[in-house]
Amino acid sequence: KDFKDKITFNCITVQHGLIKSICYIINKKCAYVSDVSKIYNKDFKYFNNLNYLVIDCLRYNSHPSHFNLNDVLNFVKIVNPKKTILTNLNIDMDYNNNIWLTNSQTERPLVKISNGQFTSYSVPNLTTQQMSGKIMCTRNNQKWIQLRKDGILVARETIVSQGGCETTVIESKKLSTSNNLAGQNVNCFVEDNNQVVWVGTSQGLSVFYYTEDIFNNSTYQAESILIETIDGYVEKLFENTDIQDIAVDGGNRKWVATKSNGVFLISDDGSEQLANFTKENSPLLSNNVESISIIAKTGEVFFVTELGICSYRSNATEASQSFEEVVVFPSPVMPNYRGDIAVSGLEDDANVKITDIAGNIVYETSSIGGTATWNGKNFDGIRVATGVYLFMCTSSNFNKKTVAKVLIYN
């Protein structure tokens, strides 16, 4: 088949520290330069007349393997793209709308951007020899910092009085295998809807409850989720599994990306495995899943693999604070439709009773996050007859109610 619009790729070799890396120029209009410390002058011509330049910018100060901000600005002045997009930034936003980022291997490795003002902080237990990576701001205003092959550093702001003036300093505590961390090589961390922090390492999973106690309890320990195997033995969940990413959906369930076993979906407390998607049993492109991202409003889950990106529409969405935008999908339900019927826009754990137009209950369920699903069958597993069906939705504390309806053809 002939295609009118062909996509062309030009591969350019660049320096990435002591090794080489490849950047891509697409249709001569978009360049993707993810890991770079030097672009050779002879290759500058390929970056002229770009619409988009996506380029590595690890931090403000120099780095042996990555461009810093000055490197990027100098290169942009030369090639003058219409739009420049920075990637590889280590950044997060706290719950007071301050932006925090790590500036690895510097005297002041923690940076706060507040109201357009930059403030850099020195951090106890973090030396210029240690490489810091991802940063996560939690609801209790802690900053969780990934250390390269050296566990996690948890930092927080503290107001102290110096010479009659109040000033902000950073206090910190390192978490390692001595705190029951599954492994020193931390790949990811995420705070769930109950303010519990889940950490994925190359050696397994660790869960941190009551994180305020990290600074109050000198013997603070992470927990492991214990599960019973089919043969009756008890073992740690994801023991010796290389976990590359963890994401939390609207129902507080955890999606866990592994290096060789695909994706797992576990219950909110980790006690139950709800699904395991692999390339063998699903359209997942590879069992090596590098990253997971969830669109909270729709529940769509995206999986990044070395072979590309694919997505899955889950049955959990972000919970609503009201019942003002309750929607049933699909509507109407046609005879050839065999998927679930979803009612969304609910509070978490809302009760949903489904009745026919005469008021007879045919099914009852609860929402996961903001969505409840129904397979179109009654309590006996038989598809319901053609007609109008009502979704009678009640919040878990009984103070909100609404009714939605759908027409089903069978």
Side-chain angles (χ1 to χ4, degrees):
K1 183 176 178 181
D2 293 329
F3 291 89
K4 280 186 177 180
D5 300 320
K6 292 184 179 179
I7 299 177
T8 60
F9 288 83
N10 193 3
C11 300
I12 308 295
T13 300
V14 296
Q15 199 68 36
H16 176 37
L18 299 177
I19 63 174
K20 303 291 185 184
S21 179
I22 300 294
C23 70
Y24 302 94
I25 299 179
I26 305 158
N27 284 353
K28 299 182 179 179
K29 292 298 179 186
C30 176
Y32 181 68
V33 192
S34 62
D35 292 296
V36 62
S37 56
K38 180 179 180 180
I39 299 174
Y40 297 101
N41 291 346
K42 66 182 179 62
D43 294 323
F44 281 11
K45 59 188 176 185
Y46 299 112
F47 295 85
N48 290 326
N49 303 314
L50 291 175
N51 288 338
Y52 297 96
L53 171 63
V54 183
I55 191 164
D56 180 19
C57 181
L58 184 69
R59 62 190 196 188
Y60 290 96
N61 291 349
S62 297
H63 189 276
S65 302
H66 296 272
F67 265 9
N68 68 355
L69 184 59
N70 281 335
D71 295 329
V72 172
L73 293 176
N74 290 335
F75 184 67
V76 165
K77 284 179 185 176
I78 295 169
V79 299
N80 196 28
K82 290 183 180 177
K83 186 169 185 178
T84 301
I85 300 166
L86 306 182
T87 187
N88 277 351
L89 291 167
N90 295 304
I91 190 168
D92 196 17
M93 182 176 287
D94 68 20
Y95 287 80
N96 296 313
N97 295 322
N98 301 309
I99 294 173
W100 292 84
L101 54 93
T102 57
N103 194 7
S104 187
Q105 297 176 298
T106 63
E107 295 290 342
R108 295 175 173 269
L110 187 60
V111 180
K112 175 183 178 181
I113 307 172
S114 180
N115 298 319
Q117 300 296 315
F118 287 70
T119 308
S120 299
Y121 297 99
S122 57
V123 180
N125 305 310
L126 185 53
T127 71
T128 56
Q129 304 305 311
Q130 290 175 303
M131 184 174 287
S132 57
K134 298 175 184 176
I135 181 170
M136 175 182 72
C137 300
T138 61
R139 289 178 180 82
N140 60 3
N141 287 320
Q142 292 177 350
K143 285 74 187 170
W144 288 57
I145 301 170
Q146 172 197 39
L147 303 178
R148 186 176 184 181
K149 298 181 181 179
D150 199 20
I152 297 170
L153 193 74
V154 181
R156 69 176 180 182
E157 294 174 279
T158 302
I159 308 296
V160 297
S161 183
Q162 293 181 347
C165 299
E166 289 189 341
T167 185
T168 301
V169 298
I170 300 295
E171 60 177 331
S172 68
K173 183 169 181 180
K174 187 177 282 188
L175 300 176
S176 65
T177 50
S178 63
N179 303 97
N180 202 31
L181 187 64
Q184 288 292 92
N185 192 8
V186 172
N187 296 325
C188 58
F189 34 56
V190 66
E191 184 182 30
D192 74 9
N193 300 337
N194 295 325
Q195 298 187 38
V196 176
V197 175
W198 297 66
V199 177
T201 77
S202 60
Q203 295 297 312
L205 175 73
S206 296
V207 185
F208 292 82
Y209 301 94
Y210 309 110
T211 55
E212 198 63 48
D213 288 345
I214 290 173
F215 291 94
N216 304 328
N217 182 355
S218 59
T219 60
Y220 182 86
Q221 297 283 297
E223 301 289 339
S224 300
I225 304 291
L226 301 179
I227 55 170
E228 187 175 352
T229 61
I230 339 175
D231 47 12
Y233 291 98
V234 174
E235 64 180 32
K236 294 179 181 178
L237 180 65
F238 296 118
E239 187 172 18
N240 295 321
T241 300
D242 194 340
I243 297 173
Q244 304 200 105
D245 200 12
I246 304 173
V248 179
D249 68 17
N252 206 32
R253 305 176 304 177
K254 282 72 186 180
W255 293 80
V256 181
T258 69
K259 193 167 186 176
S260 56
N261 299 310
V263 174
F264 291 83
L265 172 61
I266 58 175
S267 59
D268 60 345
D269 61 359
S271 62
E272 185 182 358
Q273 178 183 307
L274 305 176
N276 175 208
F277 297 110
T278 66
K279 67 177 183 179
E280 289 80 16
N281 67 12
S282 74
L284 189 67
L285 299 175
S286 167
N287 288 337
N288 179 9
V289 181
E290 299 170 355
S291 179
I292 300 177
S293 185
I294 300 175
I295 299 178
K297 192 170 184 180
T298 64
E300 192 169 7
V301 186
F302 290 85
F303 309 113
V304 178
T305 76
E306 81 274 19
L307 298 179
I309 301 175
C310 58
S311 69
Y312 172 81
R313 185 174 288 276
S314 79
N315 59 354
T317 59
E318 186 177 45
S320 173
Q321 299 304 311
S322 68
F323 282 176
E324 294 175 0
E325 296 182 4
V326 173
V327 176
V328 179
F329 177 84
S331 181
V333 179
M334 305 308 290
N336 59 348
Y337 182 73
R338 290 295 179 268
D340 285 341
I341 302 162
V343 53
S344 59
L346 305 173
E347 288 187 0
D348 186 31
D349 200 30
N351 175 264
V352 180
K353 291 182 173 65
I354 302 163
T355 74
D356 59 23
I357 202 67
N360 301 304
I361 298 178
V362 297
Y363 198 74
E364 185 173 4
T365 186
S366 297
S367 63
I368 302 174
T371 297
T373 58
W374 174 43
N375 61 7
K377 299 178 181 179
N378 61 22
F379 288 113
D380 297 321
I382 301 169
R383 289 188 67 82
V384 297
T386 296
V388 174
Y389 290 83
L390 306 178
F391 291 78
M392 299 186 174
C393 311
T394 309
S395 62
S396 56
N397 58 7
F398 305 105
N399 67 354
K400 296 186 185 72
K401 296 181 181 180
T402 192
V403 178
K405 60 185 178 181
V406 67
L407 174 60
I408 297 179
Y409 292 101
N410 275 327

